Every structure is written in structure tokens, then in C-alpha cells.
Amino acid sequence: MRDRTLSVRPLRQRPMLRAILLLLCLLSCGALRAAAPPVMLASTWQDGPDVSQYLVSEKLDGVRARWDGRVLWTRAGHRIHAPAWFTDGWPSQPLDGELWLARGQFDATSALIRAAIDDDARWRALHFMAFDLPASAEGFEARHARLRVLINGSANPYLRLIEQRRLANTETLHRHLRSIVQAGGEGLMLHHQDNRYSPGRSAGLFKLKLYEDAEARVIGHVPGKGKYAGKVGALLVQTEQGARFRIGSGLTDALPDSPPPLGVQV
């Protein structure tokens, strides 16, 4: 009788133990999903500094992403479920960059990486355009040289390097900006050669556009009306200065069905 009692008691305790272990697992996984990768952000360029001290690249209209050595994450901390072949052979070092289809294809890129089902054909048109090594303590010029070596050694055609160039002066900079915009580009990025990688707004990384626009974070989805009933009719966004407003006009037909998730910069 004593042995029967001892054998029953552990069986009664096992469901409770399983529940506790499951809860701990869910909490740890949730924390992992919620942890946004620390990224460096650009300030707005104002003419004046010596342009020749900066490395200049095209500002791509893609989706910012961070490779942690194993998986891809969005800037807001959401896991990107890329096909295994897309990241096969990538370096074990963290990479900062953008997922990019082509100029003017931001909406299509955003919709693709948020899709629940992998679409191999569409993913094969996508590239991860790497521009930095977040874990390196070197200046940007040295980081870029090291990044080139890593990408050349990966032999994966979906991992590419964003090319940098030097320009002599402000006049040359603006001439190059106009040529990029006329070709359908968004603008330019200027990164000081000695700037170290540090999360948050940087004093050594700048963006330059012909017409500056403010970035804002999506904080809500506004229900649609009419033909958009049951869908998203507008995005509620907030700027870094705390100003809130809605973005409704100019949304593509795809966005009401698949809007940007909360926390994404637009």
C-alpha cells in the first residue's frame, strides 16, 4: 500500500511541473521576440563638414534588418523567417543592413518579409544589403573593409555589400545626390571614416535627401471604412518629438490587408 501511494503522488505532480516548465519557456521566448536589436541611427546632414572625410553610399528604400549570426531580426525586434537557403553560409558575426528588392519597392519588400508563408520565388528577388558590423570596435572605414572580406567569403548571392565611395566636396556630393534621385533612388548616406558603431542617433552617420521627410513609428492601426471596412484604413504614427498623426492617403492597396506591425519606422 505504501508503494502505491508513492507511485501515484509523482504522477499527480507532473502536470503542475509541465505547466511551470511551459510557462518559463513561453516567458523566455516572449522576451526574445520583444528584444529589439540595438541599431545605430542616422542624423540629418547639414552642409559644412569636410565631405572627403566621409564614405558615401546610396540610401536604399528597403527594410532595416539585423543578422545576429543565426537569424534575421527587424529593427523593432520581430523575427524574420527567411528561407534557409537565403542565409546559408552567412558569417557568424552580426551584420547590419537592409532587405531590398529594388528602388521604389519598399511596400513589396515589407509585405514579403511579413508574409506567414515562404514564397521562394519572391525571396529569390530579395537581397540583404549589408553596410556595417555592429560588434566591431573599429572605425567605419576599417569595418567596411572587414565586411567586404566576410561577404566575399560567404559565396551566397543573396548577401551583398553596399558600396561606399569618397567624394571631394559639397558640390560633388549634391551632384551625386541629384543623379541618384533622378535614377529613382531615395537619397544618400554619409558615414564618417572614424565613426564607431554605437546604438542610437549617431553624430557620425548622416542621411541626405533632396526633400527631407520625418521618420515616425507606427503605434496603432485605425479601422477602415467603405471599401476598407474590416481592414486597416490608416496608420497612427508618432515622431521622435512625440507628435502623433494619421497616415491614410497614399497607402497602397496591399497595406490595408497587411499593414506594418506596431513599432516599425515609416
Side-chain angles (χ1 to χ4, degrees), residues 132-145:
D132 217 332
L133 290 171
S136 173
E138 298 173 299
F140 180 64
E141 185 175 24
R143 294 201 307 275
H144 180 68

Side-chain angles (χ1 to χ4, degrees), residues 238-250:
Q238 179 175 307
T239 67
E240 289 187 347
Q241 292 72 34
R244 296 187 177 188
F245 56 92
R246 294 183 180 185
I247 300 177
S249 61

Side-chain angles (χ1 to χ4, degrees), residues 78-232:
H78 298 286
R79 170 81 177 270
I80 299 174
H81 297 282
W85 51 261
F86 187 80
T87 59
D88 183 45
W90 285 19
S92 59
Q93 294 90 334
L95 306 176
D96 196 356
E98 290 205 16
L99 289 165
W100 190 67
L101 280 172
R103 290 168 173 167
Q105 295 297 309
F106 170 80
D107 290 340
T109 305
S110 180
L112 174 59
I113 67 171
R114 288 184 284 111
I117 302 175
D118 290 341
D119 186 337
D120 272 15
R122 295 179 64 197
W123 270 92
R124 290 188 187 280
L126 191 70
H127 294 90
F128 182 75
M129 308 296 292
F131 52 70
D132 217 332
L133 290 171
S136 173
E138 298 173 299
F140 180 64
E141 185 175 24
R143 294 201 307 275
H144 180 68
R146 186 182 299 274
L147 181 59
R148 180 185 298 278
V149 173
L150 288 173
I151 292 178
N152 289 341
S154 74
N156 185 317
Y158 303 101
L159 177 61
R160 294 184 178 179
L161 179 72
I162 293 184
E163 292 295 338
Q164 307 285 338
R165 66 169 66 189
R166 288 188 181 275
L167 300 175
N169 49 45
T170 300
E171 180 182 354
T172 307
L173 173 67
H174 285 277
R175 187 184 308 123
H176 183 49
L177 172 63
R178 289 191 295 271
S179 68
I180 290 292
V181 173
Q182 289 171 0
E186 183 177 336
L188 298 176
M189 300 296 297
L190 296 92
H191 205 154
H192 194 277
Q193 59 188 13
D194 300 324
N195 191 50
R196 298 183 184 276
Y197 197 102
S198 58
R201 197 67 60 185
S202 173
L205 176 64
F206 299 93
K207 57 185 177 181
L208 175 61
K209 301 181 182 180
L210 281 181
Y211 305 101
E212 289 297 333
D213 50 14
E215 289 187 348
R217 179 170 54 88
V218 178
I219 60 174
H221 298 149
V222 181
K225 299 179 181 180
K227 71 174 184 177
Y228 294 126
K231 303 178 181 180
V232 172

